[in-house]
Amino acid sequence: MMLVTSEWNGKPSFRTIPMTADCPYVECIFDPESKVFVVISKTKRNTLQMLPKLDEYGQPTQGTKGVKQERHKLEVFQEYYISDVESIKTFINLIAVNGDFDYLSFVNA
């Protein structure tokens, strides 16, 4: 994976992008506010999610307590959260092809 600069919630950050199709991760994102490195893998899992109930025109239906909701089964990518700085460094050194990228300026900011 290759490290690149990006923004997250309007703040400077970094992320990774896959270099080959057989990479086991979709992407990795560093959240500068919470100092968490999020790893999104290609492994999929099913989860239940409450979504607005839609009418025949695709508009949310209203009930007496607001928008009606219904439970849906969704297939999502498995996410991993790394908050320890040393673990973030170790993981990046294992996966990044451009290890000389200055990601520590974002982690230590």
Side-chain angles (χ1 to χ4, degrees):
M1 301 205 55
M2 186 170 87
L3 293 164
V4 295
T5 57
S6 68
E7 273 192 7
W8 185 256
N9 291 336
K11 295 187 178 176
S13 181
F14 68 96
R15 66 179 56 214
T16 64
I17 55 175
M19 298 294 292
T20 61
D22 62 340
C23 181
Y25 308 108
V26 175
E27 70 176 332
C28 303
I29 307 163
F30 181 74
D31 181 358
E33 278 188 25
S34 62
K35 304 286 187 197
V36 171
F37 192 60
V38 181
V39 180
I40 304 170
S41 74
K42 286 187 177 177
T43 306
K44 294 182 180 179
R45 64 181 176 90
N46 290 319
T47 183
L48 296 174
Q49 189 88 20
M50 294 299 287
L51 299 174
K53 187 173 186 168
L54 304 177
D55 63 14
E56 62 270 13
Y57 302 108
Q59 299 299 318
T61 57
Q62 295 290 326
T64 57
K65 297 181 181 178
V67 176
K68 290 183 179 181
Q69 293 189 343
E70 57 189 358
R71 191 181 341 212
H72 286 275
K73 191 176 191 180
L74 299 176
E75 187 175 55
V76 296
F77 291 112
Q78 180 69 45
E79 296 178 357
Y80 303 96
Y81 300 91
I82 306 172
S83 57
D84 177 58
V85 174
E86 287 303 315
S87 297
I88 293 172
K89 289 179 189 177
T90 303
F91 186 78
I92 288 174
N93 288 333
L94 288 172
I95 66 164
V97 295
N98 57 337
D100 58 339
F101 181 87
D102 186 25
Y103 64 90
L104 289 175
S105 63
F106 300 101
V107 174
N108 295 329

